[in-house]
Amino acid sequence: MSLAILLGVFALGLVIGLPVAVTLGLSSLCYLLIEGIPLVVIPQKMFAGMDVFVLLCIPGFILAGNLMNGGGITPRIVRFANAMVGWMRGGLGLTNVTGSMLFGGISGTAVADAASIGGMMIPGMVRAGYTPAFSAAVTAASSTVGPIIPPSMPMIIVGALSGISVGKMFIAGAIPGILMGIAMMITCYIIAVRRKFPHQPWQGFGELLRSFIGAFWALAMTALIVGGLLSGIVTPTETAVIASLYALIVGCFIYRELPLRKVPKIIVDSAVTAAAILALVGLANVFGWILVSERIPQMISNAVLSVTDNKYVVILLINLVLLVVGMFMETIAALIILFVPLLTLATNVGVDPIHFAVFAVLNLMIGLTTPPVGICMFICANIAKAPVTTVIRALMPFLLTNILILFLVSYIPALSTWLPSLME
């Protein structure tokens, strides 16, 4: 009875639109009251969920991304991407995807990508002759690359939950992220040719070199993160701190577009964002503890294994579950609630934990562009001032492309395990 009420209150909260953190807290509170468990469990489990060293990456990378955004990174990345691919048919769409791939190596979040790249690219694409729906769709779809290419906020959460090396997971996402970007560029080009979208004249190698020099310090931040992790010189948490200091120096003293007087506000805004994420982590840990105490992970694993223990069928079932969950639940909450039970199931049939982590995160990233709660989809539709229904239709080819890449990553483990193996 108490478990039914827990799940019922949680489902009701999602349906009526309560914040996920509030929904998790209310449903957990109802369960504890019915079971007669002392409410002191809530702060204890919240603190236990947040008191994980690797979670220090979160405020560090958020601060680094905000400092770089305030320091003029977005226009430089867009200019460089445009110099590389803007001359092709549908060039601004290709620039959009390329910019998201480059930006993803800095922000680590899809929402930041959608807002930053979208705020610049969507109005420009519309003025150039692209439809608002297509402009919003390509921006929303490409923003999902951000949390796959290192660094990645969801993978930090996964590492805190499971003990899997965050550094290895960061590196594991590099090849799948690049594959996603290339596949979306191909899709964008095909659509652009069919619909005769415009392209720009080739700007010459001079502009390509100038734009690369202009974006060099921004791009070097990704090399700093990946290089530090691959070499083993620094941990992910130390990388986040170094990235923040690097971003401050670049924004204030190299690009000179970040006045020192704005830095305190950026720090406060980053702290507020990080606090909201950590509060969600803490409340989700309470909810997860209840599920574990009710033996839900074992029940899920036993139920699936009673039907089949075929590794490839289990991977298919996990993908279908996560694709559906991603349509209705916020990414971090879904990971905290479902990752450990599904990881148990996956490892029972011989799936490598790092391989599983990559395709699980990729699954939930796709959910950011699917109705009814695709956050990136709504952000981009709002920027483009386009009806959500038209954006959803324009998103379909990109969703199919991303799902294709998802299944490639799911069934070819080497795509996500080869680079981490080099760190051993």
Side-chain angles (χ1 to χ4, degrees), residues 50-254:
M50 294 184 288
D51 187 26
V52 180
F53 180 73
V54 75
L55 290 180
L56 286 174
C57 290
I58 293 177
F61 281 123
I62 289 174
L63 177 59
N66 287 342
L67 287 170
M68 292 295 277
N69 286 341
I73 177 175
T74 305
R76 285 175 169 83
I77 285 180
V78 169
R79 179 186 174 189
F80 177 52
N82 192 45
M84 284 195 295
V85 297
W87 54 273
M88 301 173 69
R89 176 69 67 180
L92 285 182
L94 300 176
T95 298
N96 199 324
V97 178
T98 306
S100 291
M101 293 174 69
L102 298 175
F103 189 86
I106 296 169
S107 72
T109 62
V111 173
D113 186 341
S116 298
I117 299 292
M120 172 172 289
M121 289 300 304
I122 292 175
M125 290 179 69
V126 172
R127 286 194 298 270
Y130 297 79
T131 65
F134 176 82
S135 304
V138 70
T139 305
S142 61
S143 70
T144 59
V145 175
I148 306 300
I149 294 177
S152 166
M153 294 300 163
M155 289 184 183
I156 295 171
I157 300 295
V158 165
L161 290 171
S162 62
I164 302 172
S165 167
V166 173
K168 288 186 176 181
M169 282 191 293
F170 277 6
I171 299 304
I175 293 176
I178 292 170
L179 284 177
M180 283 180 69
I182 292 172
M184 281 188 281
M185 291 179 73
I186 293 171
T187 303
C188 182
Y189 179 77
I190 292 171
I191 294 172
V193 169
R194 288 181 176 177
R195 300 178 64 176
K196 294 182 173 56
F197 283 143
H199 63 93
Q200 306 167 76
W202 164 244
Q203 299 178 56
F205 287 104
E207 169 60 15
L208 183 61
L209 179 61
R210 286 191 296 271
S211 64
F212 171 75
I213 293 172
F216 173 79
W217 294 105
L219 300 175
M221 187 170 175
T222 302
L224 176 71
I225 293 170
V226 175
L229 293 172
L230 270 176
S231 65
I233 296 175
V234 290
T235 67
T237 303
E238 292 165 345
T239 301
V241 175
I242 293 170
S244 296
L245 291 174
Y246 177 91
L248 179 65
I249 293 170
V250 169
C252 292
F253 304 110
I254 296 179

Side-chain angles (χ1 to χ4, degrees), residues 336-368:
I336 293 173
I337 294 168
L338 291 175
F339 184 82
V340 173
L342 294 179
L343 175 63
T344 302
L345 172 61
T347 53
N348 282 341
V349 294
V351 177
D352 182 89
I354 291 178
H355 174 214
F356 171 74
V358 172
F359 74 75
V361 170
L362 206 164
N363 255 297
L364 294 172
M365 289 304 100
I366 292 174
L368 293 174

Side-chain angles (χ1 to χ4, degrees), residues 266-288:
I266 291 175
I267 293 174
V268 171
D269 290 344
S270 301
V272 170
T273 302
I277 293 174
L278 290 174
L280 176 59
V281 170
L283 288 166
N285 191 61
V286 179
F287 191 90

Side-chain angles (χ1 to χ4, degrees), residues 375-395:
I375 297 173
C376 293
M377 175 183 68
F378 284 109
I379 289 174
C380 294
N382 184 58
I383 294 173
K385 297 180 174 58
V388 174
T389 52
T390 63
V391 175
I392 292 172
R393 285 196 295 270
L395 266 167

